Amino acid sequence: MRFEPDDRGGVTVVVDGQPQSHVALADPLLLAFDYVAHLALVIDVLGPVLAPKPLRCTHIGGAAMTLPRWVQATRPGSPQIVLEPDAALTAQVRARLPLPRGHRIRVRPVGGLEGVAALAEASADVVVLDAYAGGRVPAELVTVEFFASVCRVLAPGGLLAANLADEPGLRHTARVVAGIREAGLGEVVLVASHEVFKGRRFGNVVVAARRAGVGDRVGDANAAGREAGAARSRSATTTAATPAGTHGATVDRHLIKLTPAATGASPAGTHGAAGAAADRQLRPAAPRCPGWPRGRFWLRG
């Protein structure tokens, strides 16, 4: 394990030769890895609780705890549980990259399967799945039974946000999404880079799905948009859509797009008056997203 400082004031945690986490202690809003920024985006836009209200969050996989630090910065006092079986990694991270003062982050040295099974029913507003072994999410964490356990833990209106890695065609993602829906979660959204959705390269796909019910979030797309964008990202363009191979009953029609603000154009597939009426623009609040790429959000459903 190595801790590699960079010129942005952050530190990359490298495990087995692979960059695993990036943390900037002085700026927890700086999310250097695209998929982490995507996870933050879906929590802000689709989560059941609007910032800055505390968010009950369970993280399956912890590493350097970049996302829990971001949740604490954007929603101070949020009670968070991190399920991280590598106790040695956690000890080194806490020694080299201390958690912020006043946090309510509790790390349990257990795997996701047993850790989620031990949680109380409806005890989480958000469950984040970001656990990897050998470059893949462990097989036991992408079964229908496991997602049913996650559904039990989520409060009504609660959100699952899962980080997957997949090859062009996204067949693995399609199978995982089918399992998520079979377990009782719906309103499925996919978020990834344009290149990943176009099948140009292997990459990360963030899958978000919701438990049925109503949370504390105001049902107003513009209000949701004003709260979005606390995360920082260095990626230029993010697209969430229904990629080839995952059409039909597998993925819902809900889309999120981030496109350059300078274009002023509607997202692809929403041309004309009907498309414009279907799209609801979500603008991030400028004071809360100084590092967010200039752009517009659309939430379509």
Side-chain angles (χ1 to χ4, degrees):
M1 184 190 305
R2 303 195 309 273
F3 292 79
E4 299 182 349
D6 59 36
D7 56 6
R8 293 177 291 184
V11 175
T12 299
V13 180
V14 180
V15 179
D16 296 330
Q18 298 296 322
Q20 193 164 37
S21 300
H22 180 276
V23 171
L25 291 179
D27 186 6
L29 301 186
L30 174 60
L31 304 179
F33 293 176
D34 285 352
Y35 76 86
V36 181
H38 295 167
L39 288 167
L41 173 64
V42 299
I43 290 173
D44 253 346
V45 175
L46 301 176
V49 179
L50 285 170
K53 289 184 178 180
L55 187 71
R56 298 176 300 166
C57 196
T58 295
H59 305 264
I60 304 167
M65 293 176 276
T66 306
L67 200 60
R69 298 170 194 266
W70 172 83
V71 171
Q72 169 62 22
T74 58
R75 298 163 176 80
S78 293
Q80 301 185 73
I81 295 173
V82 178
L83 306 176
E84 174 53 68
D86 192 338
L89 170 62
T90 300
Q92 291 194 52
V93 165
R94 299 188 80 155
R96 296 286 297 272
L97 302 169
L99 291 170
R101 291 184 178 180
H103 73 85
R104 296 179 63 191
I105 301 169
R106 301 293 178 262
V107 184
R108 298 181 181 179
V110 296
L113 196 64
E114 58 182 308
V116 170
L119 296 174
E121 183 175 352
S123 61
D125 299 310
V126 173
V127 172
V128 177
L129 173 58
D130 185 20
Y132 276 74
R136 288 278 188 179
V137 180
E140 67 269 17
L141 301 184
V142 289
T143 66
V144 174
E145 293 75 16
F146 177 72
F147 290 129
S149 185
V150 169
C151 186
R152 178 189 64 82
V153 168
L154 285 171
L159 184 74
L160 165 67
N163 172 40
L164 307 177
D166 207 353
E167 299 174 348
L170 303 183
R171 292 181 177 86
H172 173 65
T173 299
R175 290 192 296 270
V176 172
V177 168
I180 288 172
R181 292 179 64 88
E182 186 177 344
L185 297 167
E187 298 186 37
V188 177
V189 171
L190 304 183
V191 184
S193 70
H194 183 73
E195 291 78 8
V196 170
F197 272 149
K198 285 294 185 180
R200 295 172 182 167
R201 65 174 176 86
F202 178 94
N204 294 86
V205 179
V206 168
V207 179
R210 194 193 308 276
R211 179 182 174 182
V214 179
D216 294 332
R217 177 177 287 281
V218 177
D220 174 12
N222 290 325
R226 287 193 295 270
E227 295 299 333
R232 290 187 182 183
S233 170
R234 299 304 183 212
S235 61
T237 303
T238 300
T239 305
T242 304
T246 60
H247 294 290
T250 304
V251 176
D252 288 328
R253 57 193 175 143
H254 296 73
L255 311 180
I256 300 175
K257 289 179 179 279
L258 172 60
T259 58
T263 66
S266 295
T270 61
H271 300 294
D279 295 326
R280 292 168 289 175
Q281 187 169 302
L282 305 182
R283 293 183 180 274
R288 296 189 59 239
C289 54
W292 192 268
R294 295 181 61 82
R296 293 189 176 96
F297 294 97
W298 281 268
L299 178 63
R300 188 183 183 197

